[in-house]
Each structure stands twice: as structure tokens, then as C-alpha cells.
Amino acid sequence: MSDVRRPNFENNITADDVAEAAGVSRWTVNRAFKKDASISPKTRTKVMEAASKLGYVPDLRAAALASDRSNLVALLVDDFANPHKLVMMERLTRILRKHGWDTLLVNTLDRDDAGHAILNASQRRVDAAILIGIQFDDEVLETALHARRFHKLIIFARTSRHPDTISIAVDDAAAMQEIAAYVAEQGYRRPLFLAGPRTYSAHLLRKETFLGCWKRRFGTVPEFAEVPAYDPILAEQVVTRILTDRPRDEMPDILVCENDALAIGAIDVIRHKLGLRIPEDIAVTGFDDVPQCQSPNYALTTYRQPLTEMAEYLVEVLESSEDRDFDRAFKGKLVPRASA
């Protein structure tokens, strides 16, 4: 029978208990639970087996208080109607956890709640705040910066114009230039650009870039419409309003959508409300490459963001102690499918 003591649930198991059971020092136990600590695989295994049998879990709060880093980041997210948010959160949390970082998820309900949510997160002793969404204007960012409790304030998947934030995003301008060239080369000449909500500090350059590319190439500015959120249902309403009862010869031949959520709503309207074919009557493109794009119901031509590469770089930013410009724009990939 093993001489390792069984868990005593009436008392807290400490690192000293694990050290005694494993026949090592308390400091060896502490090193075993640190990702990059110098310790042999054999000793680490012995410590982990003893810890498992005793039911020992290190006190992360105490470890954080003993250092200047908690390895906890606040992930502030809005517009959950956008399916790309779930894809992004899955990728981010998985890669962060792989590198030893935990996340505090905060749902910023709307713009009025965003500032309060950031202040609330700042009280949790997180190392950084990662903002993903559309509610973060200059006032909200200033609220976060004045809290003075974040080592880093990171705008993820959008280009931030605020000088005190770090922007990790796809290169929207390069992406839309590629999409505009593809649309033109496929022979489309009457595009309608379907844009999402306008923001300033956390901005997408997609609409401006596409309209500018088209004007330079053909001398005309395409029609465009805006949807107040990245929500397929709202996109359906806008597309229904602008295309219902429009004469056939005045219809656009392609909808270039700022993201996949808008494109999915547009496709549903074109097929099921207008009774038109895709792409024969109206083609559609999106942006993000959410899982639904691969479905034969949509087969959506879109632009894939390099989320894994962006998330790995995020970890690099979090772990760096350098004082430099961390802003980076990544190149994605155009994914042609049957919708255009």
C-alpha cells in the first residue's frame, strides 16, 4: 500500500504536504507548477503524482500577489449575434490556456455598459484587457486607461487609432483590395457594399477601401448600405428594405458584405424573400470564414482571418516586458466558393 497520505478534506493541503509525500523540498513543488521552471521531467512527474493523490491545487492568488503578474487577462466581448465572435473566443482561450494564461470573460452589453465593464475588470487584478467588439470608442478607452490597472490594453481583430492601445488585426486594407480585384475579375460591375456599424477608435477599413478601389478602377462609387450591428437578422431587414420592389435591371449583381454575419442574412433574403438565385442573379461575398460558410446552404466566398497566428502573437505581446510598438496587421486568405 502506498504511504502517500490521502486527501484530508477538513484541512487545506499545502505545498509542504506535497513535498513530504514526494520526498522533495517545498521549493521543488513550487517549481513543478511553473511552466518554464528548471526541473527534471522525473521530479516533476513525482511531484504531480503526489499532488494528484493529495488533491493539491496551487493557490494562484497567492502566487500572483508574490509577483507582478497574475497570468489572467480580461476578455471583453460584445455583439454575440456575430458567429465569428464564438470562433474567435474559442481560438483565443485555447491558445492562451496552452501558454498558461487564464481569461475572465466579460459581456459588454452595450456602449453604456462598456466603460463600467472595463472598470469592473480592472478590479480583478488582470494583466491585460483584450477588447473584441464594436462598443469601444474614445471615451470608453480613456476610461480603461485612466483605471491604471492594466499593463496592456489590446484591441483584437480591429485597427485601433488610439495611441495608448495595442492593435492586433488582419490587414483590412490589403484584404479588401484583394476582394475588390476578385469581384472585378469575376465580371461583376454593379456591387452593393453592405457595411456594419461605424466606430472610430476600433475601426474596420473595409468599406472605405472597397469603395476607393472600385472608383479608381471604374470611375464610379458603388452603392452601399449600413447595418447597425453584425447580426444576420438585422442584415435581413436592411437588405429586404433596399431590394424589395427594386426593378430587376437596377439590382446589384453582387453584395460585398463587411463580414459573414451580414452575408448570411443577405443570402437568406435573396433566396427566400426575393426568390433569386445565387450567384446567377446576385452573388455574395463575406469576410471572416465562419464555419457556416462551408455549408452547402451558403458556400460563401469569403476572406479568412489568420486567427491562430494572431492569437499566438497576442501571447507574445502579453509575455513581453519590452516597451515598443506592438501593433501588427496580419495577412489573411481569400477563400472562393460558389456564392461568387
Side-chain angles (χ1 to χ4, degrees):
M1 181 179 294
S2 170
D3 60 354
V4 175
R5 290 182 296 169
R6 294 297 169 187
N8 180 356
F9 294 107
E10 295 180 358
N11 299 302
N12 289 328
I13 301 299
T14 68
D16 290 325
D17 297 322
V18 177
E20 182 181 344
V24 299
S25 71
R26 183 175 186 273
W27 307 115
T28 299
V29 173
N30 291 339
R31 287 202 306 275
F33 281 91
K34 291 181 179 178
K35 182 179 65 172
D36 299 321
S38 175
I39 184 173
S40 72
K42 181 178 178 181
T43 301
R44 188 189 297 273
T45 298
K46 184 164 61 173
V47 170
M48 291 304 179
E49 287 178 351
S52 177
K53 289 177 181 178
L54 291 173
Y56 171 74
V57 178
D59 188 340
L60 297 179
R61 292 173 301 173
L65 289 172
S67 72
D68 63 349
R69 200 167 83 177
S70 66
N71 277 57
L72 177 67
V73 297
L75 198 61
L76 291 94
V77 186
D78 63 13
D79 71 324
F80 280 91
N82 180 359
H84 193 236
K85 286 294 182 293
L86 297 179
V87 176
M88 198 180 301
M89 287 167 53
E90 186 280 331
R91 197 73 50 86
L92 277 176
T93 52
R94 175 162 51 84
I95 290 174
L96 285 167
R97 175 61 65 85
K98 182 182 75 171
H99 290 279
W101 291 84
D102 285 317
T103 53
L104 171 68
L105 178 62
V106 180
N107 180 1
T108 54
L109 305 175
D110 52 40
R111 187 201 170 283
D112 293 335
D113 178 64
H116 174 74
I118 288 174
L119 287 176
N120 187 37
S122 74
Q123 297 171 356
R124 310 292 178 175
R125 199 172 185 273
V126 298
D127 291 331
I130 303 168
L131 278 51
I132 305 175
I134 62 176
Q135 307 290 348
F136 309 117
D137 60 15
D138 275 337
E139 183 179 342
V140 170
L141 295 180
E142 287 298 332
T143 297
L145 292 165
H146 285 313
R148 299 295 183 188
R149 296 185 181 181
F150 301 124
H151 296 306
K152 295 181 174 78
L153 184 60
I154 300 167
I155 312 295
F156 193 84
R158 279 179 175 263
T159 302
S160 174
R161 298 178 180 178
H162 198 290
D164 295 319
T165 64
I166 297 169
S167 173
I168 300 174
V170 72
D171 189 333
D172 284 309
M176 289 313 303
Q177 288 166 9
E178 189 172 352
I179 291 174
Y182 176 84
V183 169
E185 289 162 5
Q186 295 301 304
Y188 300 106
R189 294 296 180 266
R190 300 188 310 280
L192 185 154
F193 192 93
L194 192 61
R198 300 296 91 196
T199 59
Y200 181 78
S201 288
H203 190 55
L204 298 179
L205 301 172
R206 297 172 194 172
K207 184 186 81 171
E208 298 94 321
T209 302
F210 182 84
L211 298 187
C213 287
W214 202 264
K215 183 177 181 180
R216 287 190 296 274
R217 186 160 187 162
F218 296 107
T220 59
V221 176
E223 180 183 3
F224 67 89
E226 294 183 353
V227 182
Y230 294 116
D231 183 332
I233 303 300
L234 295 179
E236 284 186 31
Q237 295 171 2
V238 171
V239 174
T240 299
R241 175 174 52 79
I242 62 178
L243 294 187
T244 298
D245 298 327
R246 182 180 289 205
R248 185 67 186 88
D249 59 357
E250 295 179 11
M251 283 282 193
D253 57 5
I254 186 169
L255 296 188
V256 179
C257 300
E258 193 164 85
N259 78 352
D260 293 338
L262 304 184
I264 287 169
I267 287 175
D268 288 342
V269 170
I270 293 167
R271 283 197 175 127
H272 304 300
K273 292 187 178 180
L274 302 180
L276 300 175
R277 300 167 301 166
I278 297 174
E280 294 84 355
D281 297 320
I282 302 179
V284 181
T285 66
F287 198 110
D288 288 334
D289 199 25
V290 299
Q292 294 95 319
C293 294
Q294 302 178 46
S295 164
N297 292 324
Y298 295 105
L300 182 60
T301 293
T302 188
Y303 192 89
R304 181 181 299 152
Q305 296 201 49
L307 286 182
T308 298
E309 188 179 356
M310 291 163 62
E312 292 284 359
Y313 178 67
L314 170 64
V315 172
E316 180 182 331
V317 171
L318 291 173
E319 296 185 345
S320 176
S321 59
E322 298 179 45
D323 183 14
R324 62 179 176 86
D325 181 6
F326 286 104
D327 288 353
R328 180 175 295 185
F330 290 79
K331 182 174 175 54
K333 179 182 179 182
L334 182 67
V335 183
R337 294 193 181 98
S339 72

